[in-house]
Amino acid sequence: MQLRNIVLGLLFPILSFCAAPTLVQSGNAKDGSGAGSVVVTLGNNYTTGNVLLISAAIWGPSAGEVITGIVASGVTFSFLTRANNTGSVSDSEIWCGVVNSGGANSIEVDDTTAGYATLNATVAEFSGTGGCTADAVNGNFSTSSTTITTGSVAASVANDIIFAASIGRRNITAGPINSFSAITSPNSTNAVAYEVVGSSGSYSTGWTTATTASSWAAAIVALKYAPPPLSVSPSLIPSSHAGNITLTLTGFGTAWTGLTTFTATGVTGVTKVSQNVSSTTAATLVITTGGGVGSLTISDGVNSVPITVAAPGFSITLGVPNTTTSTTVTFTGTNTIWSSETAAGLFSISGSTGASLGTPTVTTNTSATATLTIGATGGAATIADTSTTLSQPLQLNSTSGPKTEFYLESTFPAVTQSFEVTQSVDGINWSAYSQTVPTITGVRDPSVVNVGGTVAMVYNDNTTSNISTVTLYTGTSLSNLAFLAHVPVIASQPAYAPTFFWDPSAPTTLYMTVSTPVSSYGVSLLSASLSNLSSWSAATIICPYSSQCYDGMIFKVGSTYYLFYAIANTSLNYMSASAIGGPYSGATLILSGNYESPYMTYSPITGYRLYFTAAGGDNGGFYVQCGLSGGVFSALGVPTRFFLNGATQTQHGTVINYGPVVPSTQQGVQ
């Protein structure tokens, strides 16, 4: 940005670039028991740097009642003014507190003489005031009048807060006057009001009481507007930003000129590019950031203010699961400044032919949406935030065909069971598989995995000769699967529900869980090298027979392993462990019912989805959406039924999602 000279004789309005104070929140409370104090609880914690203006109002019966103190965590209070009508025992006081540290919301107002009839307190939190200095104070009282008047105070500058309060014997029926805004008070005989003024001058307000003349006391204060001499926006910026960042600088009472030099120091990698002074109180500073994070000091040579440089991040959410046309992408940022960026080109997509992103709608610095259009080929794609160069991977469907496949057996009776494959674009509605698969009979409880180009299918063939083994087929695709081996599990014990698991942290190993009914059901774990799938380890029990668990499958989130399993005729459950071999603990119910064959899946489009079948088999299956919070899975809603193309009876299967994530990372891993 080109630096422009400023004519020194041309003065700019000092306050025109300063934000006016804002009422953040208010609250009130009263005590009529004479306990000596009342506590006001605000709806939210008050904020560091803001001020709390307090109306503390006492009504009789003892003459000379006054407030003896106000207490709140992290707040320093000072008395500003009072109107005390000793003849009618009414006292209206105004106090002010600067919030030195936020994080609390309770304010206690004390009158230790404890002789009052009612103690009324109203707390108003304001931002942008700059402190508790009063320009002027005033007060007024009467022993016999229906009109309450505060008297006048002089505001020295625009944006002064005029704060007024009254207490009397009669109900207030009208007011405040003179464009003041009312703040809710705890008592109909107590009134509070304020105005943020647009210019210096004299201000007052008032109210009207019930028709019977009575006594009252009213106080008013002009709180001086005194913001920091230097403020910077935005106050948080991302590290490693791809381009220039323009900081807007606002001064209060400053006299900046073209000779003023602004600096940005304290964080590694931050470089000043240029500056521009547009008035005595307004300027911009252009910088770039590097990899450093921390507190960055912005200075005009006299005044300084810290802002934060923090590592950015972002995530994406697709509106329509497994779309083959278009959908809305929601972007959520961390420590980003998207509102300051040019919307066109802020996000990009690459890697999938024909896929495109529309110009985003940016709503805040950390939120935006855009339309994603799917290309003809689908496949792996990358969506990037060009302002930070961060990216998120995404696997897209093509516009021409389904990409989510469900592998399962189609018939339940022994001997006639077979390997069946159906497909779906949403994991809910299923159709015939578009490729030829080999005819394999005697298949029960099949599981399929695709890791690095190796496709494997394992099942329990449920024959007398192979009762203690599971049968393994391998190939480079479903179309060329061929028999490889019978894998022994536990001698003389039937082996059911073999289910593959591939762990990215052990990429050369393939794991398999198998159910074996010794006394009652249990789940065992075996492993083999991907380079030699004909040789498997001995079975290790990871879910004990005493737990009566069967149809186990492993699912991993981060570094935690989850073992999902069924309990006969009862429920679907899971346990967790920090290592794949256990020990697994913390048995947790996820769904009650006569279900079996649980299979958990995840994608950023569909979220967590648990598939399962009815015990004994039928011609379809079920799924339920799940949530994960604090390491705990829960079912979101009730199971939804789905049916499979041409299947007369189904039991146990595997879901491989080829939609939003590369298949090799979806074998039970999120």
Side-chain angles (χ1 to χ4, degrees):
M1 185 179 292
Q2 184 179 2
L3 184 66
R4 297 178 294 177
N5 293 326
I6 303 297
V7 180
L8 298 181
L10 182 61
L11 298 178
F12 294 82
I14 290 179
L15 300 178
S16 60
F17 297 95
C18 297
T22 301
L23 175 63
V24 177
Q25 62 178 334
S26 66
N28 63 79
K30 67 179 179 179
D31 173 59
S33 68
S37 67
V38 65
V39 175
V40 176
T41 302
L42 298 174
N44 299 293
N45 291 343
Y46 41 74
T47 301
T48 302
N50 288 353
V51 301
L52 304 180
L53 280 168
I54 314 292
S55 162
I58 303 170
W59 175 258
S62 303
E65 293 276 351
V66 295
I67 300 301
T68 54
I70 300 179
V71 179
S73 175
V75 184
T76 303
F77 286 98
S78 56
F79 167 79
L80 296 182
T81 189
R82 73 163 50 94
N84 189 294
N85 188 343
T86 57
S88 62
V89 293
S90 55
D91 178 61
S92 179
E93 301 187 19
I94 298 175
W95 293 60
C96 182
V98 176
V99 180
N100 302 311
S101 60
N105 67 341
S106 295
I107 301 94
E108 178 183 314
V109 177
D110 296 323
D111 174 6
T112 56
T113 58
Y116 54 79
T118 59
L119 172 59
N120 308 278
T122 300
V123 179
E125 179 183 3
F126 286 88
S127 64
T129 64
C132 281
T133 300
D135 259 346
V137 299
N138 205 342
N140 203 0
F141 65 89
S142 172
T143 58
S144 181
S145 175
T146 59
T147 301
I148 300 173
T149 56
T150 60
S152 298
V153 289
S156 62
V157 294
N159 294 332
D160 267 13
I161 299 174
I162 313 300
F163 190 78
S166 71
I167 181 67
R169 184 177 182 182
R170 303 295 181 186
N171 291 341
I172 292 174
T173 57
I177 61 173
N178 299 338
S179 300
F180 277 64
S181 298
I183 297 175
T184 303
S185 60
N187 200 321
S188 60
T189 62
N190 172 216
V192 183
Y194 81 101
E195 181 182 3
V196 178
V197 300
S199 64
S200 60
S202 179
Y203 295 89
S204 65
T205 191
W207 298 267
T208 301
T209 68
T211 54
T212 303
S214 187
S215 58
W216 48 261
I220 188 169
V221 61
L223 191 69
K224 187 177 183 63
Y225 178 60
L230 173 62
S231 60
V232 179
S233 179
S235 59
L236 185 151
I237 59 175
S239 61
S240 302
H241 190 268
N244 292 340
I245 296 175
T246 299
L247 303 177
T248 299
L249 280 53
T250 302
F252 180 81
T254 54
W256 296 337
T257 73
L259 300 179
T260 301
T261 299
F262 296 95
T263 58
T265 59
V267 175
T268 302
V270 174
T271 302
K272 175 181 174 180
V273 176
S274 64
Q275 67 175 56
N276 181 60
V277 179
S278 55
S279 81
T280 56
T281 58
T284 55
L285 177 64
V286 180
I287 63 172
T288 60
T289 60
V293 296
S295 180
L296 181 70
T297 300
I298 308 299
S299 174
D300 64 359
V302 177
N303 309 294
S304 63
V305 64
I307 66 172
T308 300
V309 182
F314 87 107
S315 61
I316 56 176
T317 304
L318 301 190
V320 178
N322 290 336
T323 181
T324 58
T325 53
S326 64
T327 187
T328 298
V329 184
T330 299
F331 301 88
T332 303
T334 303
N335 304 326
T336 51
I337 50 171
W338 292 340
S339 296
S340 302
E341 315 285 359
T342 301
L346 176 57
F347 304 105
S348 66
I349 187 168
S350 60
S352 179
T353 303
S356 63
L357 275 175
T359 299
T361 299
V362 179
T363 51
T364 70
N365 274 332
T366 57
S367 61
T369 58
T371 299
L372 168 65
T373 301
I374 308 300
T377 60
T382 299
I383 291 181
D385 171 6
T386 60
S387 70
T388 61
T389 70
L390 297 176
S391 62
Q392 292 286 348
L394 190 67
Q395 187 79 12
L396 300 177
N397 291 336
S398 70
T399 58
S400 58
K403 293 296 178 183
T404 299
E405 302 172 355
F406 191 90
Y407 302 82
L408 73 165
E409 60 177 315
S410 65
T411 55
F412 179 71
V415 181
T416 61
Q417 295 167 323
S418 64
F419 177 52
E420 185 84 6
V421 181
T422 61
Q423 64 186 21
S424 171
V425 296
D426 57 10
I428 301 171
N429 301 291
W430 304 87
S431 60
Y433 190 51
S434 58
Q435 301 179 33
T436 301
V437 296
T439 300
I440 307 174
T441 59
V443 174
R444 179 172 179 169
D445 300 346
S447 177
V448 177
V449 71
N450 179 353
V451 180
T454 297
V455 177
M457 191 267 284
V458 66
Y459 64 93
N460 160 33
D461 65 11
N462 202 30
T463 63
T464 302
S465 60
N466 296 313
I467 190 173
S468 299
T469 68
V470 292
T471 302
L472 182 65
Y473 278 62
T474 59
T476 58
S477 71
L478 285 175
S479 301
N480 60 18
L481 288 174
F483 173 78
L484 178 66
H486 292 295
V487 180
V489 183
I490 296 178
S492 303
Q493 294 298 321
Y496 297 112
T499 305
F500 285 127
F501 173 75
W502 178 75
D503 188 352
S505 64
T508 62
T509 301
L510 186 61
Y511 296 92
M512 177 169 53
T513 52
V514 184
S515 295
T516 50
V518 177
S519 300
S520 60
Y521 284 98
V523 175
S524 297
L525 180 69
L526 298 81
S527 63
S529 170
L530 279 169
S531 62
N532 184 16
L533 290 178
S534 61
S535 178
W536 288 76
S537 69
T540 301
I541 296 173
I542 59 174
C543 184
Y545 302 128
S546 59
S547 297
Q548 299 187 32
C549 55
Y550 72 103
D551 285 1
M553 69 86 64
I554 293 175
F555 185 77
K556 187 180 182 183
V557 181
S559 60
T560 301
Y561 297 86
Y562 293 88
L563 176 66
F564 287 85
Y565 61 94
I567 295 179
N569 307 315
T570 303
S571 59
L572 301 179
N573 307 266
Y574 71 88
M575 295 186 286
S576 62
S578 59
I580 189 170
Y584 287 86
S585 62
T588 303
L589 171 72
I590 195 167
L591 199 64
S592 296
N594 190 18
Y595 302 123
E596 60 185 14
S597 311
Y599 198 90
M600 177 62 78
T601 66
Y602 172 83
S603 85
I605 296 176
T606 63
Y608 295 99
R609 185 180 287 176
L610 183 67
Y611 289 88
F612 51 95
T613 56
D618 57 21
N619 66 337
F622 299 86
Y623 76 89
V624 65
Q625 293 296 135
C626 294
L628 177 62
S629 177
V632 177
F633 279 99
S634 59
L636 305 178
V638 298
T640 299
R641 184 71 181 274
F642 64 85
F643 296 92
L644 299 165
N645 181 70
T648 59
Q649 199 168 40
T650 63
Q651 185 180 26
H652 205 91
T654 302
V655 177
I656 297 183
N657 193 334
Y658 283 84
V661 179
V662 177
S664 63
T665 66
Q666 274 298 287
Q667 316 307 321
V669 179
Q670 186 251 317

